Amino acid sequence: MKNSLPKWGLAALTLFTFFFLLGTRSLNEPDEGRYSEIAREMLETGNWLVPHLWYLPHLDKPPMTYWLVAASMEMFGQSEWAVRLPVALAGISGVWAAFLLGASLGGQRVGFWSAVILQSSLLYFAMSRMLTPDIFLTQFVAWAIYFFWRSWRALNSELRIANSKFLLWHLAGWIAIALGFLTKGPVALAIPLVAWGALVIFRRHEVTGKMLLAGFLAGFVV
């Protein structure tokens, strides 16, 4: 029972951090107004493939942010709360990824404090309550790093099972990168591939070249 109390406390703190007074502030200009208007026009026109601003094509960024906001507005109506809900959920998602990565590296205590430190960081807190693509990208990057780490950890199990788990976790990492790519373009590749490259360099004796090639080919397809 005692071991479960910190987790419940962390969950309560996280929900409070990201949802308290989420919709009470007016939309900031220019970013929140622009992103929410593009999402609103998606709903009005029914064109979810090409983003429009003032009914003209707006191709400055990939569409993931607009899709998520438009889906939230479709479900909950057009309000500041609905506009910011996907951002708050992305902030929580990033905290969850930090918890799992910390727990995988150093146990539950490390995971707990990783989550607390991340959500109490001022910039992360602020950007998780303001509509921009940055927190969406951040969560996908965090999940990609976690999935790649788990793919490497899978190599500690029996060989055939290890190969299968390695490729599945590896593919999950590339899916996270692909979602980040749909959010803000090629920058989504940078940090996960640096992390992956470090594993390849310092722990290359733990994996065969054939497995690495299969993983990268699968990632290229994604």
Side-chain angles (χ1 to χ4, degrees):
M1 184 66 178
K2 289 183 179 180
N3 291 334
S4 66
L5 287 177
K7 293 182 182 178
W8 283 110
L10 177 61
L13 174 64
T14 303
L15 292 174
F16 178 82
T17 298
F18 294 105
F19 285 135
F20 182 66
L21 298 179
L22 182 64
T24 57
R25 177 174 51 81
S26 299
L27 296 179
N28 284 3
E29 293 293 347
D31 289 339
E32 287 192 313
R34 180 171 69 253
Y35 294 129
S36 59
E37 173 60 19
I38 293 171
R40 190 198 66 79
E41 290 182 23
M42 277 188 171
L43 293 177
E44 180 182 340
T45 64
N47 185 352
W48 291 62
L49 184 60
V50 180
H52 285 70
L53 178 61
W54 307 128
Y55 305 98
L56 296 173
H58 184 79
L59 306 178
D60 287 3
K61 286 185 174 64
M64 178 63 76
T65 300
Y66 314 132
W67 289 342
L68 294 172
V69 175
S72 179
M73 294 170 70
E74 176 77 7
M75 295 177 64
F76 302 107
Q78 298 180 18
S79 67
E80 287 85 351
W81 185 87
V83 163
R84 295 193 184 107
L85 177 61
V87 187
L89 292 175
I92 292 173
S93 173
V95 169
W96 187 20
F99 173 82
L100 292 176
L101 180 61
S104 179
L105 288 167
Q108 295 291 312
R109 181 179 176 85
V110 174
F112 175 85
W113 285 109
S114 298
V116 170
I117 290 170
L118 178 60
Q119 67 182 281
S120 62
S121 299
L122 181 59
L123 184 58
Y124 188 88
F125 167 80
M127 297 305 293
S128 297
R129 300 171 62 87
M130 183 182 302
L131 178 56
T132 71
D134 298 304
I135 289 298
F136 295 120
L137 174 65
T138 299
Q139 64 153 348
F140 292 133
V141 167
W143 282 111
I145 293 173
Y146 171 68
F147 290 144
F148 283 147
W149 171 244
R150 286 300 303 267
S151 74
W152 215 279
R153 288 288 300 272
L155 297 174
N156 294 328
S157 57
E158 189 268 327
L159 183 59
R160 183 176 298 178
I161 298 175
N163 291 347
S164 176
K165 287 185 176 180
F166 173 86
L167 290 176
L168 287 174
W169 283 113
H170 194 77
L171 186 59
W174 279 104
I175 290 172
I177 289 177
L179 293 172
F181 199 97
L182 278 171
T183 302
K184 210 168 181 180
V187 69
L189 291 163
I191 296 176
L193 290 189
V194 168
W196 178 248
L199 281 174
V200 171
I201 292 171
F202 293 106
R203 305 184 69 166
R204 57 187 177 276
H205 60 281
E206 298 177 4
V207 65
T208 66
K210 186 180 294 186
M211 288 176 63
L212 286 176
L213 179 60
F216 275 104
L217 286 176
F220 179 78
V221 171
V222 171

